[in-house]
Amino acid sequence: MYRSVPVPAAADFAITNARIVPVADADGQRAETIESGTILVTDGTISTVADGQPDDLPEGAEIIDAAGRWVLPGFIESHGHLGVHEDGEGWSGDDTNEMTNPIGAGLRALDAIDPGDIGFKDALRGGVTSALIKPGSGNPIGGRTAFVKTWGRIVDEMLVTQDLSVKSALGENPKRVYGDKGAIPSTRMGTVKLIRDAFVEAQNYRAKRGHAEAEGTPFERNLVFETLADVLDGKLVWDQHCHRADDIATAIRLAEEFGYRLVINHGTEGHKIADFIAAKGIDVILGPLMTTRSKVELRDRTLATAAALADAGVRIALTTDHPVIPINFLVHEASLAVKEGLDPVVAIESLTINPAKIFGLDDRLGSLARGRDADLVIWSGDPLDLDSRAEQVFVSCRKVYEFDAETGTAAVADPFGPTLISEP
């Protein structure tokens, strides 16, 4: 399936004669498709996106003729478990949930990500060049997330930032996990009570810390409350796992009580209260859309939820919740949502600029515009077409994936191979 090749050097290159879908311009506004254009990458970032072919391409830049191909920004998986829940590893590779304490705000996904997980190669196969990795949903508060590029050998080198969000869960999962232990929470009431308690303690902690700083006296740090204080201060988003409409409403009620910024994750019954979510100005990371109805809170799952939310004015991103759905199927989530009424333009935005904007990374990711990271994908055709493939994938200006149609195999740059990433 995958053939390892040496890591290519980072170098300037130009993609010419391509159908370019920039998604957004440098100001973040929706950009029109360029039927035949050129993308120039210099010094590791996109420097030119132009109609036609400029006359002044830099001497020595590699020229990639993409006639008949589509070029898009790399897709963003906005809710996944790459590297913390490894494919084919079973118990040994599953570090998604630390289910020994329901309040896991001091935990970091960063400390459990294995770049050797084959899921990272699968991500490239699906044109996914970055992902927000989250702890699981077994705890009322799961831990701090990590946003990474999907290629590399050491997670610290792949990391974009771990200062984006904290994962939390409402609904069936935490009440099942701890109810089975005979511990709190065993109900939705218990789950919310623990979250409220934690935030009240964080408010008290923040006040005591501020007093100690003003007085210049020693203060005993606490990792749980340091993280929650950052949520209260608006430095971290609250990524709230919730499926049922009543749980979505509870998530909004909690956010309004404590004043933090909320992003709904999953939102399975979001179509039932789409107008309410829109009126509150809440973003939704929707999905996975292709799962079975494996538990009660998924019984009203429908592929039409994306269109219902978008039509109501909710900004959406789509997710596979990898490995629940293989991450290379992220684009198919969008295709199926289009089949059920989602605007194709919004479908592509839900994989690119929308998640970038939700997490404040649109100055680097989610579009093909000057100054953005050179994370881009050459597709054989329209990505929403089932027959289209990601043929070449670039992460941070390196070509790290190339599909060979004749052999049906893909070459992936081996970050653990003999060529060091740091070599010029």
Side-chain angles (χ1 to χ4, degrees), residues 260-295:
Y260 52 74
R261 181 171 169 239
L262 169 69
V263 174
I264 298 296
N265 286 236
H266 302 309
T268 301
E269 292 187 359
H271 56 280
K272 296 183 178 182
I273 55 171
D275 58 332
F276 179 72
I277 298 170
K280 296 293 185 178
I282 305 297
D283 297 319
V284 176
I285 297 170
L286 179 65
L289 301 176
M290 298 161 61
T291 59
T292 61
R293 296 177 176 88
S294 58
K295 51 187 176 179

Side-chain angles (χ1 to χ4, degrees), residues 36-221:
S36 181
T38 298
I39 298 175
L40 178 61
V41 171
T42 56
D43 299 324
T45 62
I46 297 171
S47 56
T48 300
V49 180
D51 196 357
Q53 183 167 323
D55 297 326
D56 56 348
L57 292 176
E59 184 177 348
E62 179 187 2
I63 307 299
I64 301 170
D65 186 351
R69 303 302 194 260
W70 293 46
V71 181
L72 282 85
F75 293 154
I76 299 170
E77 170 54 85
S78 48
H79 177 114
H81 307 290
L82 278 172
V84 298
H85 191 170
E86 300 176 56
D87 272 3
E89 294 293 332
W91 172 88
S92 175
D94 185 0
D95 294 299
T96 322
N97 285 294
E98 178 59 56
M99 292 184 293
T100 55
N101 186 326
I103 305 301
L107 302 170
R108 305 186 302 182
L110 181 72
D111 299 317
I113 298 172
D114 178 10
D117 178 9
I118 194 172
F120 284 104
K121 293 184 175 71
D122 290 343
L124 300 176
R125 176 181 289 274
V128 179
T129 57
S130 56
L132 185 54
I133 309 302
K134 301 178 182 180
S137 53
N139 294 327
I141 303 178
R144 186 182 291 246
T145 67
F147 195 96
V148 301
K149 299 293 182 77
T150 56
W151 181 85
R153 58 176 183 152
I154 299 170
V155 68
D156 306 79
E157 298 172 341
M158 302 159 68
L159 185 68
V160 175
T161 179
Q162 62 160 332
D163 296 324
L164 287 186
S165 68
V166 176
K167 175 73 178 294
S168 173
L170 298 174
E172 291 184 29
N173 289 15
K175 63 174 283 188
R176 182 189 69 250
V177 168
Y178 289 93
D180 287 349
K181 299 176 188 288
I184 187 170
S186 63
T187 64
R188 282 176 165 81
M189 293 183 295
T191 299
V192 172
K193 195 261 186 187
L194 288 184
I195 294 172
R196 294 180 72 230
D197 280 348
F199 273 117
V200 168
E201 290 186 65
Q203 289 172 328
N204 296 335
Y205 175 88
R206 185 174 58 172
K208 292 175 183 177
R209 184 182 64 185
H211 179 75
E213 290 172 351
E215 296 294 320
T217 56
F219 183 76
E220 186 174 337
R221 294 179 63 223

Side-chain angles (χ1 to χ4, degrees), residues 1-3 5 69 125 389-392 401-412:
M1 182 186 296
Y2 297 114
R3 176 170 54 87
V5 296
R69 303 302 194 260
R125 176 181 289 274
R389 286 185 178 274
E391 293 187 332
Q392 297 182 53
Y401 175 95
E402 186 168 18
F403 180 76
D404 185 337
E406 290 187 4
T407 63
T409 62
V412 179

